[in-house]
Coordinates of all heavy atoms in Angstrom, one line a residue:
V25 N -79.5 25.9 -171.3 CA -80.0 25.6 -172.6 C -81.5 25.9 -172.6 O -82.2 25.4 -171.8 CB -79.7 24.2 -173.1 CG1 -80.2 24.0 -174.5 CG2 -78.2 24.0 -173.1
D26 N -82.0 26.7 -173.6 CA -83.4 26.9 -173.7 C -84.1 25.9 -174.5 O -83.6 25.3 -175.5 CB -83.6 28.3 -174.5 CG -83.1 29.5 -173.6 OD1 -83.1 29.4 -172.4 OD2 -82.7 30.5 -174.2
V27 N -85.3 25.6 -174.0 CA -86.2 24.6 -174.7 C -87.4 25.5 -175.2 O -88.1 26.0 -174.4 CB -86.7 23.6 -173.7 CG1 -87.7 22.6 -174.4 CG2 -85.6 22.8 -173.2
K28 N -87.5 25.5 -176.5 CA -88.6 26.3 -177.1 C -89.9 25.6 -177.4 O -90.9 26.2 -177.5 CB -88.0 27.0 -178.4 CG -86.9 27.9 -178.1 CD -86.4 28.6 -179.4 CE -85.3 29.5 -179.0 NZ -84.7 30.1 -180.2
M29 N -89.8 24.3 -177.6 CA -91.0 23.5 -177.9 C -91.1 22.4 -176.8 O -90.2 21.7 -176.4 CB -90.8 22.8 -179.3 CG -90.9 23.7 -180.4 SD -90.8 22.9 -182.0 CE -92.4 22.3 -182.1
A30 N -92.4 22.1 -176.4 CA -92.7 21.1 -175.5 C -92.6 19.8 -176.2 O -92.7 19.7 -177.4 CB -94.1 21.3 -174.9
A31 N -92.4 18.7 -175.5 CA -92.3 17.3 -176.1 C -93.6 17.0 -176.8 O -93.5 16.4 -177.9 CB -92.1 16.3 -174.9
S32 N -94.8 17.4 -176.3 CA -96.0 17.1 -177.1 C -96.1 17.8 -178.4 O -96.6 17.3 -179.4 CB -97.2 17.5 -176.2 OG -97.2 18.9 -175.8
E33 N -95.6 19.0 -178.5 CA -95.5 19.8 -179.7 C -94.6 19.1 -180.7 O -95.0 19.0 -181.9 CB -95.1 21.2 -179.5 CG -96.0 22.1 -178.7 CD -95.5 23.4 -178.3 OE1 -94.3 23.6 -178.2 OE2 -96.3 24.3 -178.2
V34 N -93.5 18.6 -180.3 CA -92.5 17.9 -181.2 C -93.1 16.7 -181.7 O -93.1 16.3 -182.9 CB -91.2 17.7 -180.4 CG1 -90.3 16.9 -181.3 CG2 -90.5 19.0 -180.1
A35 N -93.8 15.9 -180.8 CA -94.4 14.6 -181.2 C -95.5 14.9 -182.2 O -95.7 14.2 -183.2 CB -94.9 13.9 -180.0
E36 N -96.3 16.0 -182.0 CA -97.4 16.3 -182.9 C -96.8 16.7 -184.3 O -97.4 16.3 -185.3 CB -98.2 17.4 -182.3 CG -99.4 17.8 -183.1 CD -100.3 18.8 -182.4 OE1 -100.5 18.7 -181.2 OE2 -100.7 19.8 -183.1
K37 N -95.7 17.5 -184.3 CA -95.1 17.9 -185.5 C -94.6 16.7 -186.3 O -94.7 16.7 -187.5 CB -94.0 18.9 -185.2 CG -93.3 19.4 -186.5 CD -92.2 20.4 -186.2 CE -91.5 20.7 -187.5 NZ -90.4 21.6 -187.4
L38 N -94.0 15.8 -185.6 CA -93.4 14.6 -186.3 C -94.5 13.5 -186.6 O -94.2 12.5 -187.2 CB -92.3 14.0 -185.4 CG -91.1 14.9 -185.2 CD1 -90.1 14.2 -184.3 CD2 -90.4 15.3 -186.5
K39 N -95.7 13.7 -186.1 CA -96.8 12.8 -186.2 C -96.5 11.4 -185.7 O -96.6 10.4 -186.4 CB -97.2 12.7 -187.7 CG -97.7 14.0 -188.2 CD -98.1 14.0 -189.7 CE -98.5 15.4 -190.1 NZ -98.5 15.6 -191.5
I40 N -96.0 11.4 -184.5 CA -95.7 10.1 -183.8 C -96.3 10.1 -182.4 O -96.7 11.1 -181.9 CB -94.1 10.0 -183.6 CG1 -93.5 11.1 -182.9 CG2 -93.5 9.8 -185.0 CD1 -92.1 11.0 -182.6
V41 N -96.4 8.9 -181.8 CA -96.9 8.7 -180.5 C -95.8 8.0 -179.7 O -95.6 6.8 -179.8 CB -98.2 7.8 -180.5 CG1 -98.7 7.7 -179.0 CG2 -99.3 8.5 -181.3
P42 N -95.0 8.8 -179.0 CA -93.8 8.2 -178.3 C -94.2 7.4 -177.1 O -95.2 7.7 -176.4 CB -93.0 9.4 -177.9 CG -93.9 10.6 -177.9 CD -95.0 10.2 -178.9
K43 N -93.4 6.3 -176.9 CA -93.6 5.5 -175.7 C -92.9 6.1 -174.5 O -93.5 6.1 -173.4 CB -93.1 4.1 -176.0 CG -93.4 3.0 -175.0 CD -93.0 1.7 -175.5 CE -93.3 0.6 -174.5 NZ -92.9 -0.7 -174.9
T44 N -91.7 6.6 -174.7 CA -91.0 7.3 -173.7 C -90.3 8.6 -174.3 O -90.0 8.6 -175.5 CB -89.8 6.4 -173.1 OG1 -88.9 6.1 -174.1 CG2 -90.3 5.2 -172.5
I45 N -90.2 9.6 -173.5 CA -89.6 10.8 -173.9 C -88.5 11.2 -172.9 O -88.8 11.2 -171.6 CB -90.6 12.0 -174.0 CG1 -91.7 11.6 -175.0 CG2 -90.0 13.3 -174.4 CD1 -92.8 12.6 -175.1
E46 N -87.3 11.6 -173.3 CA -86.3 12.0 -172.4 C -85.7 13.3 -173.0 O -85.3 13.4 -174.1 CB -85.2 11.0 -172.3 CG -84.1 11.3 -171.4 CD -83.0 10.2 -171.4 OE1 -83.1 9.3 -172.2 OE2 -82.1 10.3 -170.6
L47 N -85.6 14.4 -172.1 CA -85.0 15.6 -172.5 C -83.5 15.5 -172.1 O -83.2 15.3 -171.0 CB -85.7 16.8 -171.8 CG -85.1 18.2 -172.1 CD1 -85.2 18.5 -173.6 CD2 -85.8 19.2 -171.3
R48 N -82.6 15.8 -173.1 CA -81.2 15.7 -172.8 C -80.5 16.9 -173.5 O -81.0 17.6 -174.3 CB -80.6 14.4 -173.5 CG -81.2 13.2 -173.0 CD -80.7 12.0 -173.7 NE -79.5 11.6 -172.9 CZ -78.6 10.7 -173.3 NH1 -78.7 10.3 -174.4 NH2 -77.7 10.4 -172.4
E49 N -79.2 17.1 -173.1 CA -78.4 18.1 -173.6 C -77.3 17.5 -174.3 O -76.5 16.7 -173.8 CB -77.9 19.1 -172.5 CG -77.1 20.2 -173.1 CD -76.5 21.1 -172.0 OE1 -77.0 21.0 -170.8 OE2 -75.6 21.9 -172.3
E50 N -77.1 17.8 -175.6 CA -76.1 17.2 -176.5 C -75.5 18.4 -177.3 O -76.2 19.1 -178.0 CB -76.6 16.1 -177.4 CG -77.0 14.9 -176.7 CD -77.6 13.8 -177.7 OE1 -77.5 14.0 -178.9 OE2 -78.1 12.8 -177.2
D51 N -74.2 18.5 -177.2 CA -73.5 19.6 -177.9 C -74.0 20.9 -177.7 O -74.3 21.7 -178.6 CB -73.4 19.2 -179.5 CG -72.7 18.0 -179.7 OD1 -71.8 17.6 -179.0 OD2 -73.1 17.3 -180.7
D52 N -74.4 21.3 -176.4 CA -74.9 22.6 -176.1 C -76.3 22.8 -176.7 O -76.7 24.0 -176.9 CB -74.0 23.7 -176.4 CG -72.7 23.7 -175.5 OD1 -72.8 23.1 -174.4 OD2 -71.7 24.1 -176.0
K53 N -77.0 21.8 -177.0 CA -78.4 21.8 -177.6 C -79.3 21.0 -176.7 O -78.9 19.9 -176.3 CB -78.4 21.3 -179.0 CG -77.9 22.3 -180.0 CD -78.0 21.6 -181.4 CE -79.0 22.2 -182.2 NZ -79.1 21.7 -183.6
A54 N -80.5 21.4 -176.6 CA -81.5 20.6 -175.9 C -82.2 19.7 -177.0 O -82.6 20.2 -178.1 CB -82.6 21.5 -175.3
V55 N -82.2 18.4 -176.7 CA -82.8 17.5 -177.7 C -83.7 16.5 -176.9 O -83.6 16.3 -175.7 CB -81.8 16.6 -178.4 CG1 -80.9 17.5 -179.3 CG2 -80.9 15.8 -177.5
Y56 N -84.7 16.0 -177.6 CA -85.6 15.0 -177.1 C -85.3 13.6 -177.7 O -85.1 13.5 -178.9 CB -87.1 15.3 -177.4 CG -87.7 16.5 -176.7 CD1 -88.0 17.6 -177.3 CD2 -87.9 16.4 -175.3 CE1 -88.6 18.7 -176.7 CE2 -88.5 17.5 -174.6 CZ -88.8 18.6 -175.3 OH -89.4 19.7 -174.7
N57 N -85.1 12.6 -176.8 CA -84.9 11.2 -177.2 C -86.3 10.6 -177.0 O -86.7 10.4 -175.9 CB -83.8 10.5 -176.5 CG -82.4 10.9 -176.9 OD1 -82.3 11.4 -178.0 ND2 -81.5 10.6 -176.1
M58 N -86.9 10.1 -178.1 CA -88.2 9.5 -178.1 C -88.1 8.1 -178.5 O -87.6 7.8 -179.6 CB -89.2 10.3 -178.9 CG -89.3 11.7 -178.5 SD -90.6 12.5 -179.5 CE -90.3 14.2 -179.1
T59 N -88.7 7.2 -177.7 CA -88.8 5.8 -178.1 C -90.1 5.5 -178.7 O -91.2 5.9 -178.1 CB -88.5 4.9 -176.9 OG1 -87.2 5.2 -176.4 CG2 -88.5 3.4 -177.4
I60 N -90.2 4.9 -179.8 CA -91.4 4.7 -180.6 C -91.6 3.2 -180.8 O -90.6 2.5 -181.2 CB -91.5 5.4 -181.9 CG1 -91.3 6.9 -181.6 CG2 -92.7 5.1 -182.7 CD1 -90.9 7.7 -182.9
E61 N -92.8 2.7 -180.6 CA -93.0 1.2 -180.9 C -93.8 1.2 -182.2 O -94.7 1.9 -182.5 CB -93.9 0.6 -179.8 CG -93.9 -0.9 -179.9 CD -94.4 -1.5 -178.6 OE1 -93.6 -1.6 -177.7 OE2 -95.6 -1.9 -178.6
E62 N -93.3 0.4 -183.1 CA -93.8 0.3 -184.5 C -94.2 -1.1 -184.8 O -93.4 -2.0 -184.5 CB -92.7 0.9 -185.4 CG -93.0 1.2 -186.8 CD -91.8 1.8 -187.5 OE1 -90.7 1.3 -187.5 OE2 -92.0 2.9 -188.1
R63 N -95.3 -1.3 -185.5 CA -95.7 -2.6 -186.0 C -95.0 -3.0 -187.3 O -95.1 -2.2 -188.3 CB -97.2 -2.7 -186.1 CG -97.8 -4.0 -186.3 CD -97.8 -4.7 -185.0 NE -98.5 -6.0 -185.2 CZ -98.3 -7.0 -184.4 NH1 -97.5 -6.9 -183.4 NH2 -98.9 -8.1 -184.6
R64 N -94.2 -4.0 -187.3 CA -93.4 -4.4 -188.5 C -93.7 -5.9 -188.8 O -94.3 -6.6 -188.0 CB -91.9 -4.2 -188.2 CG -91.5 -2.9 -187.8 CD -91.3 -1.8 -188.8 NE -90.3 -2.2 -189.8 CZ -90.0 -1.4 -190.8 NH1 -90.6 -0.3 -190.9 NH2 -89.1 -1.8 -191.7
K65 N -93.2 -6.4 -189.9 CA -93.3 -7.8 -190.2 C -91.8 -8.3 -190.5 O -91.2 -7.8 -191.4 CB -94.1 -8.0 -191.5 CG -95.6 -7.8 -191.2 CD -96.4 -8.1 -192.4 CE -97.9 -7.8 -192.1 NZ -98.7 -8.0 -193.2
L66 N -91.5 -9.4 -189.8 CA -90.2 -10.0 -190.0 C -90.3 -10.9 -191.2 O -91.2 -11.8 -191.3 CB -89.8 -10.8 -188.7 CG -88.5 -11.5 -188.7 CD1 -87.3 -10.4 -188.8 CD2 -88.3 -12.3 -187.5
F67 N -89.4 -10.8 -192.1 CA -89.4 -11.6 -193.4 C -90.6 -11.4 -194.2 O -91.0 -12.2 -195.1 CB -89.1 -13.1 -193.1 CG -87.9 -13.4 -192.3 CD1 -88.0 -14.1 -191.1 CD2 -86.7 -13.0 -192.8 CE1 -86.9 -14.4 -190.4 CE2 -85.5 -13.3 -192.1 CZ -85.6 -14.0 -190.9
G68 N -91.3 -10.3 -193.9 CA -92.5 -10.0 -194.7 C -93.8 -10.6 -194.3 O -94.9 -10.3 -194.8
F69 N -93.8 -11.6 -193.3 CA -95.0 -12.2 -192.9 C -95.1 -12.5 -191.4 O -96.2 -12.9 -191.0 CB -95.2 -13.5 -193.7 CG -94.2 -14.6 -193.4 CD1 -94.4 -15.5 -192.5 CD2 -93.0 -14.6 -194.1 CE1 -93.5 -16.5 -192.2 CE2 -92.1 -15.6 -193.9 CZ -92.3 -16.6 -192.9
I70 N -94.1 -12.3 -190.6 CA -94.3 -12.6 -189.2 C -94.4 -11.2 -188.5 O -93.5 -10.5 -188.3 CB -93.0 -13.3 -188.6 CG1 -92.8 -14.6 -189.3 CG2 -93.2 -13.5 -187.1 CD1 -91.4 -15.3 -189.0
P71 N -95.6 -10.9 -188.0 CA -95.8 -9.6 -187.3 C -95.2 -9.6 -185.9 O -95.2 -10.5 -185.2 CB -97.4 -9.5 -187.2 CG -97.8 -10.9 -187.3 CD -96.8 -11.7 -188.0
F72 N -94.7 -8.4 -185.6 CA -94.1 -8.2 -184.3 C -94.0 -6.7 -184.1 O -94.1 -5.9 -185.0 CB -92.8 -8.9 -184.1 CG -91.6 -8.2 -184.8 CD1 -90.7 -7.5 -184.1 CD2 -91.4 -8.4 -186.1 CE1 -89.6 -6.9 -184.8 CE2 -90.4 -7.8 -186.8 CZ -89.5 -7.1 -186.1
N73 N -93.7 -6.3 -182.8 CA -93.5 -4.8 -182.5 C -92.0 -4.6 -182.4 O -91.2 -5.3 -181.8 CB -94.1 -4.5 -181.2 CG -95.6 -4.5 -181.3 OD1 -96.2 -4.3 -182.3 ND2 -96.3 -4.8 -180.2
S74 N -91.6 -3.5 -183.1 CA -90.1 -3.1 -183.1 C -90.0 -1.7 -182.5 O -90.9 -0.9 -182.6 CB -89.7 -3.1 -184.5 OG -88.3 -2.6 -184.6
Q75 N -88.9 -1.4 -181.8 CA -88.7 -0.1 -181.2 C -87.6 0.6 -182.0 O -86.6 0.0 -182.3 CB -88.3 -0.2 -179.7 CG -89.4 -0.6 -178.8 CD -89.1 -0.6 -177.4 OE1 -87.9 -0.4 -177.1 NE2 -90.0 -0.7 -176.5
K76 N -87.8 1.9 -182.1 CA -86.8 2.8 -182.7 C -86.7 4.1 -181.9 O -87.7 4.4 -181.2 CB -87.0 3.1 -184.2 CG -88.2 4.0 -184.5 CD -88.2 4.3 -186.0 CE -89.4 5.2 -186.4 NZ -89.4 5.4 -187.8
T77 N -85.6 4.7 -181.8 CA -85.3 5.9 -181.1 C -85.1 7.1 -182.0 O -84.3 7.0 -182.9 CB -84.1 5.7 -180.2 OG1 -84.3 4.6 -179.3 CG2 -83.9 6.9 -179.3
I78 N -85.9 8.1 -181.8 CA -85.7 9.3 -182.6 C -85.2 10.4 -181.7 O -85.7 10.6 -180.6 CB -87.1 9.7 -183.2 CG1 -87.6 8.7 -184.2 CG2 -87.0 11.1 -183.9 CD1 -88.9 9.0 -184.8
T79 N -84.2 11.1 -182.2 CA -83.6 12.3 -181.5 C -84.1 13.5 -182.3 O -83.9 13.7 -183.5 CB -82.1 12.2 -181.5 OG1 -81.7 11.0 -180.9 CG2 -81.5 13.4 -180.8
A80 N -84.8 14.4 -181.6 CA -85.4 15.6 -182.2 C -84.9 16.8 -181.5 O -84.7 16.8 -180.3 CB -86.9 15.5 -182.1
D81 N -84.7 17.9 -182.3 CA -84.3 19.2 -181.7 C -85.4 19.8 -180.9 O -86.5 19.9 -181.3 CB -83.9 20.1 -182.9 CG -83.1 21.3 -182.4 OD1 -83.1 21.6 -181.2 OD2 -82.6 22.0 -183.3
A82 N -85.1 20.3 -179.7 CA -86.1 20.9 -178.8 C -86.4 22.3 -179.2 O -87.3 22.9 -178.7 CB -85.6 20.9 -177.4
D83 N -85.6 22.9 -180.1 CA -85.8 24.3 -180.6 C -86.9 24.4 -181.7 O -87.8 25.2 -181.6 CB -84.5 25.0 -181.0 CG -83.6 25.3 -179.9 OD1 -84.1 25.5 -178.8 OD2 -82.4 25.4 -180.2
N84 N -86.7 23.5 -182.7 CA -87.6 23.6 -183.8 C -88.4 22.3 -184.1 O -89.2 22.3 -185.0 CB -86.8 24.0 -185.1 CG -85.6 23.2 -185.4 OD1 -85.6 22.0 -184.9 ND2 -84.7 23.7 -186.1
G85 N -88.0 21.2 -183.4 CA -88.8 20.0 -183.6 C -88.4 19.1 -184.7 O -89.0 18.1 -185.1
N86 N -87.2 19.5 -185.4 CA -86.7 18.6 -186.5 C -86.0 17.4 -186.0 O -85.4 17.4 -185.0 CB -85.7 19.5 -187.4 CG -86.5 20.6 -188.1 OD1 -87.7 20.6 -188.4 ND2 -85.7 21.7 -188.4
T87 N -86.1 16.4 -186.8 CA -85.5 15.1 -186.5 C -84.0 15.2 -186.7 O -83.6 15.6 -187.9 CB -86.1 13.9 -187.4 OG1 -87.5 13.9 -187.1 CG2 -85.4 12.6 -187.0
L88 N -83.2 14.9 -185.8 CA -81.8 14.9 -185.9 C -81.2 13.5 -186.3 O -80.3 13.4 -187.1 CB -81.1 15.4 -184.6 CG -81.5 16.8 -184.2 CD1 -80.9 17.1 -182.8 CD2 -81.0 17.8 -185.2
S89 N -81.7 12.5 -185.7 CA -81.3 11.1 -186.0 C -82.3 10.1 -185.6 O -83.2 10.4 -184.9 CB -79.9 10.8 -185.4 OG -80.1 10.7 -184.0
E90 N -82.2 8.9 -186.2 CA -83.0 7.7 -185.9 C -82.1 6.5 -185.7 O -81.2 6.3 -186.4 CB -84.0 7.4 -187.0 CG -85.1 8.4 -187.3 CD -86.1 7.8 -188.3 OE1 -86.1 6.7 -188.6 OE2 -86.8 8.7 -188.8
K91 N -82.4 5.9 -184.6 CA -81.7 4.6 -184.3 C -82.6 3.4 -184.5 O -83.7 3.4 -183.8 CB -81.2 4.6 -182.9 CG -80.0 5.4 -182.7 CD -79.4 5.2 -181.3 CE -78.2 6.0 -181.0 NZ -77.7 5.8 -179.7
L92 N -82.3 2.6 -185.4 CA -83.1 1.4 -185.7 C -82.4 0.2 -185.2 O -81.2 0.1 -185.0 CB -83.3 1.3 -187.2 CG -84.0 2.5 -187.9 CD1 -83.9 2.3 -189.4 CD2 -85.4 2.6 -187.5
P93 N -83.2 -0.9 -184.8 CA -82.5 -2.1 -184.4 C -81.7 -2.7 -185.5 O -81.9 -2.5 -186.7 CB -83.7 -3.0 -184.0 CG -85.0 -2.3 -184.4 CD -84.7 -1.0 -184.9
W94 N -80.7 -3.5 -185.2 CA -79.8 -4.1 -186.2 C -80.5 -5.0 -187.2 O -80.1 -5.1 -188.3 CB -78.7 -4.9 -185.5 CG -79.2 -6.1 -184.8 CD1 -79.6 -6.3 -183.5 CD2 -79.3 -7.4 -185.4 NE1 -80.0 -7.6 -183.3 CE2 -79.8 -8.3 -184.4 CE3 -79.1 -8.0 -186.7 CZ2 -80.1 -9.6 -184.7 CZ3 -79.4 -9.3 -186.9 CH2 -79.9 -10.1 -185.9
Y95 N -81.6 -5.6 -186.8 CA -82.3 -6.5 -187.6 C -83.3 -5.8 -188.5 O -84.2 -6.5 -189.2 CB -83.0 -7.6 -186.8 CG -83.9 -7.1 -185.7 CD1 -85.2 -6.6 -186.0 CD2 -83.4 -6.9 -184.4 CE1 -86.0 -6.1 -185.0 CE2 -84.2 -6.4 -183.4 CZ -85.5 -6.0 -183.7 OH -86.3 -5.5 -182.7
N96 N -83.3 -4.5 -188.6 CA -84.4 -3.7 -189.3 C -84.4 -4.1 -190.8 O -85.4 -4.0 -191.5 CB -84.1 -2.2 -189.1 CG -85.3 -1.4 -189.6 OD1 -86.4 -1.6 -189.1 ND2 -85.1 -0.6 -190.6
F97 N -83.2 -4.5 -191.4 CA -83.1 -4.8 -192.8 C -83.9 -6.1 -193.1 O -84.2 -6.3 -194.3 CB -81.7 -4.9 -193.3 CG -81.0 -6.1 -192.7 CD1 -80.9 -7.3 -193.4 CD2 -80.4 -6.1 -191.5 CE1 -80.2 -8.4 -193.0 CE2 -79.7 -7.2 -191.0 CZ -79.6 -8.3 -191.7
L98 N -84.3 -6.8 -192.1 CA -85.1 -8.1 -192.3 C -86.6 -7.9 -192.3 O -87.3 -8.8 -192.4 CB -84.7 -9.1 -191.3 CG -83.2 -9.6 -191.3 CD1 -83.0 -10.4 -190.0 CD2 -82.9 -10.3 -192.5
T99 N -87.0 -6.6 -192.0 CA -88.4 -6.3 -191.8 C -89.0 -5.4 -192.9 O -88.3 -4.7 -193.6 CB -88.6 -5.6 -190.4 OG1 -88.0 -4.3 -190.4 CG2 -88.0 -6.4 -189.3
T100 N -90.3 -5.4 -192.9 CA -91.1 -4.5 -193.8 C -92.2 -3.9 -192.9 O -92.5 -4.4 -191.8 CB -91.7 -5.3 -195.0 OG1 -92.6 -6.3 -194.5 CG2 -90.6 -5.9 -195.9
K101 N -92.9 -2.9 -193.5 CA -94.0 -2.3 -192.7 C -95.3 -3.1 -193.0 O -95.7 -3.8 -193.6 CB -94.2 -0.9 -193.2 CG -93.2 0.0 -192.5 CD -93.6 1.5 -192.7 CE -92.7 2.3 -191.9 NZ -93.1 3.6 -191.7

């Protein structure tokens, strides 16, 4: 599988600063799994750091999916 964009280029395109980056092959496509730490507020007033995982295409840098923690509905930015 060909990789057309480097991980740094994908992160720059998505305007994120990933904590971890993993190159994987899914459905005969190269994808980057990036873990991002984000500052959120639980119940609107308790600050904490939350992690989410973004899957991005290694060919064009587009976001394929986002995995959020189960408690994300209880948080705000």
Side-chain angles (χ1 to χ4, degrees):
V25 179
D26 292 332
V27 177
K28 295 183 181 174
M29 293 183 77
S32 60
E33 294 173 331
V34 173
E36 186 176 312
K37 179 180 179 186
L38 297 176
K39 297 178 182 162
I40 57 174
V41 179
K43 191 173 180 181
T44 63
I45 301 171
E46 180 182 7
L47 178 62
R48 303 179 89 195
E49 183 180 345
E50 293 180 6
D51 300 328
D52 295 329
K53 284 178 107 175
V55 296
Y56 288 112
N57 282 341
M58 300 182 192
T59 304
I60 300 163
E61 195 164 279
E62 194 174 51
R63 192 75 175 158
R64 310 275 302 177
K65 290 184 180 178
L66 184 63
F67 304 120
F69 65 93
I70 303 170
F72 75 104
N73 291 332
S74 175
Q75 288 188 350
K76 71 177 178 178
T77 303
I78 294 179
T79 302
D81 193 347
D83 287 337
N84 53 21
N86 293 335
T87 302
L88 299 175
S89 68
E90 286 187 20
K91 283 187 179 179
L92 302 169
W94 68 269
Y95 53 82
N96 193 58
F97 70 96
L98 299 171
T99 66
T100 60
K101 280 195 175 192

